[in-house]
Amino acid sequence: MTAPNQTVLDTSRPNTARVCNALLGGKDHYELDHVIAKPLVDSQLATAMAEARRFARRAVEYLTHTHQVTQVVELGCGLPLHPDIGEIAHHASDTARILYIDNDLLATNHAQALLTEPNNVVAKIDLTDTAAVLAEITAVMDSTAPLAVCLSGTAELLADAPAVLDALTRQLRPGTWIVFSHITDDIAGNDISSAVAALGNAGIAFHPRDRDTITTMLAPYKLADPGLIAPHRWRPTDTEHDTLRPLHPGTWDLAAYAAIGRIPA
């Protein structure tokens, strides 16, 4: 989820999807979004966001190649950045099916225009409306094929992310994979707090969570090796593509955690 529910694009105020796009080095933002993002581009927050995105790409590549996952749901897709996780899944399988969900009109419009591979579906739904999200997954996805649900770079934007994740995954079938990352203020807390305050002043609510909270969120799932870890340390060389590898030095700390897990039978 990247912004309050909309039916008309509002270009007069900063937009969460556009500001995040600017922080991640994208081009789909306006000057007012750039003004907010510019002081933060070298912050611990921006670095953690970038590595969380690379983690999500590596995780999808890992699942498609190692576990033959051909269906991916991206919850809170935001504005597309190359390589998109759908591109990665389609590279592994011509029959890959991708469902992009966001409640931001700009994000879903861009996704519909740019993510045109076969079997791509874009839906404008608020993630907190878990019944609607689950209904869309059921309508689009093949219940007999492996499925991964990606919640990376999104949970921080949800005020009650633990409850949303629980409500969603309790209804998903056993064996479903969860790709998850989350910004924390356990590490570089002052820098993260300053960045969160700057975003808050622009009307963008951001919710870092500590390791204990994130561990509790992921407790229902069986985590794959190496478990809950900083995103840049999650299988950093287990990829075919240089663009998926971490840029942050592996020996340095990072203000984020990441894992993939599976809903047990």
Side-chain angles (χ1 to χ4, degrees):
M1 188 180 72
T2 57
N5 199 7
Q6 304 172 277
T7 56
V8 178
L9 288 175
D10 182 358
T11 61
S12 66
R13 296 182 298 175
N15 170 277
T16 307
R18 296 194 309 257
V19 171
C20 289
N21 179 266
L23 287 170
L24 291 170
K27 305 298 183 184
D28 294 315
H29 53 269
Y30 301 141
E31 179 61 26
L32 73 169
D33 307 298
H34 175 73
V35 168
I36 295 165
K38 185 177 180 180
L40 303 178
V41 293
D42 294 322
S43 70
Q44 293 284 338
L45 177 66
T47 300
M49 289 173 62
E51 290 299 349
R53 189 64 189 168
R54 290 187 182 88
F55 150 76
R57 293 163 173 164
R58 289 198 305 280
V60 169
E61 184 176 73
Y62 166 78
L63 290 173
T64 56
H65 287 279
T66 305
H67 295 280
Q68 291 72 55
V69 172
T70 58
Q71 302 185 116
V72 180
V73 179
E74 185 169 18
L75 299 176
C77 60
L79 292 165
L81 288 166
H82 176 78
D84 177 77
I85 63 169
E87 295 176 74
I88 295 166
H90 281 291
H91 184 266
S93 171
D94 291 339
T95 61
R97 184 173 300 184
I98 315 299
L99 172 58
Y100 299 93
I101 295 179
D102 207 296
N103 79 328
D104 186 287
L105 184 61
L106 179 71
T108 53
N109 283 354
H110 271 65
Q112 288 170 338
L114 298 176
L115 305 176
T116 57
E117 290 90 347
N119 297 324
N120 279 0
V121 177
V122 180
K124 183 179 177 298
I125 305 172
D126 191 319
L127 297 189
T128 61
D129 186 354
T130 55
V133 172
L134 289 164
E136 189 70 18
I137 293 173
T138 300
V140 171
M141 295 302 183
D142 179 356
S143 63
T144 66
L147 173 69
V149 175
C150 182
L151 193 71
S152 183
T154 303
E156 304 91 331
L157 300 170
L158 298 171
D160 198 3
V164 172
L165 180 62
D166 179 65
L168 284 171
T169 57
R170 273 191 292 107
Q171 302 299 318
L172 293 172
R173 67 181 181 272
T176 298
W177 292 92
I178 307 297
V179 176
F180 186 87
S181 73
H182 205 301
I183 302 298
T184 185
D185 51 10
D186 287 348
I187 299 162
N190 289 338
D191 193 359
I192 296 298
S193 295
S194 295
V196 168
L199 292 173
N201 289 336
I204 299 171
F206 206 86
H207 309 278
R209 293 180 172 93
D210 60 27
R211 185 182 179 92
D212 287 347
T213 301
I214 295 167
T215 298
T216 300
M217 290 174 69
L218 297 178
Y221 320 114
K222 183 178 180 180
L223 302 189
D225 289 338
L228 183 64
I229 197 168
H232 66 311
R233 295 177 185 144
W234 195 92
R235 299 179 179 267
T237 60
D238 190 14
T239 176
E240 297 180 2
H241 305 290
D242 288 339
T243 53
L244 308 183
R245 292 191 173 96
L247 297 180
H248 194 64
T251 56
W252 294 9
D253 284 334
L254 191 72
Y257 297 110
I260 69 168
R262 202 171 193 185
I263 299 174

